[in-house]
Amino acid sequence: MEEPEMRAFTVQNFAHPLEEVDVTTPQPKGTEVVVEVTRCGVCHTDLHLQDGFYDLGGGKRLNLKDRGIVPPLVLGHEIYGKLVAKGPDVSDDQCEIGRYYVVYPWIGCGECEQCLQDHDNLCATPKSLGVARPGGYADQCLIPHPKYLVDVTDLDPSLAATYACSGLTAYSAINKIEIDRENELLVLLGLGGVGMNALNIAVAQGFGRIAVADLDPAKRDFALRAGAHFSFDPGQPEELQTLLSEQGNAAAVVDFVGSTETAASGISMLRKGGIYVIVGLFGGEVTLPLPPLAQRSTVICGSYVGNLAELRELVELAKTGKIAALPVETMPFSKANEALDRLRTGGVNGRLVLAK
Ligand SMILES: [Zn+2]
Ligand SMILES: [Zn+2]
């Protein structure tokens, strides 16, 4: 019997455009479920997966093939769609055929201590959708368990898709900050999709003094209209000096760029006991004198996507209507390469989402 086929946009070779290919339509076994993908967000991680490496700074690279990630890859981890099939071990109360869900993509091995606590995003052997497992740049996506489906009834489909990575990453980073939210200074570095989402979430959660930085004046203006209280141009060091002399040092800095320059700058603007959260994966490295880290009780904290509970919390927060909607632009799946190229050249305000 001939297996049914579906369309997928795949990395066949690193550093090449995606290719549209026919692959076998997934058939769910055991606890597996299948979603028909109707939206899939386009993320910077997709660019790294297309390139085949991360830049670690100083000429060093993290090659994906050394991590067992080799083509062909079906990218796409901001997956929204309709449940169309489920395996024999999935009960009716776990999920409903025909209902729409956003999919938690940061899936782990399912067996280690982190996975058993639903901290899949910290699993040592991740099997994330759109990275190690086939993702959402395809007609359908196979998911190992219905617990990864988050009901997003009543939310805008394109916006809901972006919560799986962009939104979750922003939410989890903000969630790590324990300061006096109303009165202390929070600085957000970088106003791409994740940084803008973080601003919207921080405003919704009652942060009362938020400063934003981006090289693009249009993005800074947009952020000020979206609720940021201060902004500065990171290319003009005197603007930051003025801010800090008027407002005092920052209690928390969240770095959505993650470059050598932004890390050094972010850590340097902290008050004693302040926290620097690094989220962005631009690449680079920092050299720090160690005694001040101890003397100033500085916290340096990495944040990678978020856990399943955080995605559920974020979706609930979104359903209250408190989070301002991120600008989202849709493009057809057939233009996946064009979407990736636009993201690479920085010509995206908010988030690009593939749609059908
Ligand atoms: Zn992503
Ligand atoms: Zn695990």
Side-chain angles (χ1 to χ4, degrees), residues 10 29 32 41 49 70 81 111-112 120 137 157 173 176 178 193 198 205 243 252 260 271 275 286 298 330 336 356:
T10 66
K29 298 186 289 289
E32 292 171 342
L49 289 163
V70 287
E111 289 163 6
C112 72
D120 289 53
Y137 288 12
K176 291 180 170 72
E178 290 176 14
Q205 293 193 316
L243 174 78
T260 299
R271 67 153 162 74
I275 179 169
V286 282
T298 301
T330 57
K356 73 172 176 192

Side-chain angles (χ1 to χ4, degrees), residues 50-69:
Q50 186 184 24
D51 293 339
F53 67 90
Y54 283 95
D55 179 6
L56 298 180
K60 296 188 287 285
R61 282 180 170 190
L62 187 161
N63 285 309
L64 294 174
K65 66 173 167 31
D66 299 338
R67 291 293 174 94
I69 298 170

Side-chain angles (χ1 to χ4, degrees), residues 108-112 115 123-125:
C109 69
E111 289 163 6
C112 72
C115 285
C123 177
T125 53

Side-chain angles (χ1 to χ4, degrees), residues 23-257:
V23 297
T24 306
T25 300
Q27 306 295 327
K29 298 186 289 289
T31 62
E32 292 171 342
V33 293
V34 177
V35 161
E36 181 188 310
V37 184
T38 56
R39 296 288 189 285
C40 191
V42 182
C43 178
H44 273 101
T45 296
D46 296 329
L47 301 180
H48 296 298
L49 289 163
Q50 186 184 24
D51 293 339
F53 67 90
Y54 283 95
D55 179 6
L56 298 180
K60 296 188 287 285
R61 282 180 170 190
L62 187 161
N63 285 309
L64 294 174
K65 66 173 167 31
D66 299 338
R67 291 293 174 94
I69 298 170
V70 287
L73 302 173
V74 182
L75 306 183
H77 50 266
E78 289 188 342
I79 304 163
Y80 169 97
K82 182 168 75 172
L83 187 71
V84 290
K86 52 190 185 184
D89 299 340
V90 181
S91 63
D92 285 343
D93 59 348
Q94 288 174 293
C95 54
E96 203 180 306
I97 297 284
R99 222 176 161 85
Y100 284 84
Y101 297 93
V102 64
V103 182
Y104 178 83
W106 311 108
I107 296 169
C109 69
E111 289 163 6
C112 72
E113 203 53 44
Q114 299 289 356
C115 285
L116 292 176
Q117 294 176 46
D118 280 346
H119 294 158
D120 289 53
N121 57 313
L122 303 180
C123 177
T125 53
K127 300 278 180 289
S128 304
L129 296 170
V131 184
R133 292 175 195 268
Y137 288 12
D139 290 330
Q140 296 190 2
C141 181
L142 182 74
I143 298 137
H145 196 281
K147 73 176 179 179
Y148 298 115
L149 302 175
V150 179
D151 190 322
V152 284
T153 308
D154 299 336
L155 291 182
D156 173 76
S158 300
L159 200 56
T162 69
Y163 291 144
C165 176
S166 164
L168 178 61
T169 300
Y171 182 83
S172 184
I174 298 293
N175 220 15
K176 291 180 170 72
I177 300 169
E178 290 176 14
I179 62 172
D180 176 347
R181 294 185 168 193
E182 224 170 291
N183 298 304
E184 290 199 290
L185 183 64
L186 165 67
V187 177
L188 306 176
L189 303 177
L191 293 169
V194 182
M196 269 310 301
N197 242 333
L199 172 63
N200 292 338
I201 289 166
V203 169
Q205 293 193 316
F207 282 83
R209 286 172 70 221
I210 306 170
V212 295
D214 197 284
L215 289 167
D216 182 347
K219 288 183 177 168
R220 295 198 300 273
D221 287 346
F222 187 80
L224 288 170
R225 288 197 301 277
H229 306 90
F230 318 101
S231 73
F232 62 94
D233 179 349
Q236 307 287 335
E238 64 283 2
E239 290 193 15
L240 173 62
Q241 285 319 313
T242 305
L243 174 78
L244 298 182
S245 63
E246 289 173 1
Q247 301 296 328
N249 281 7
V253 175
V254 189
D255 185 351
F256 295 103
V257 181

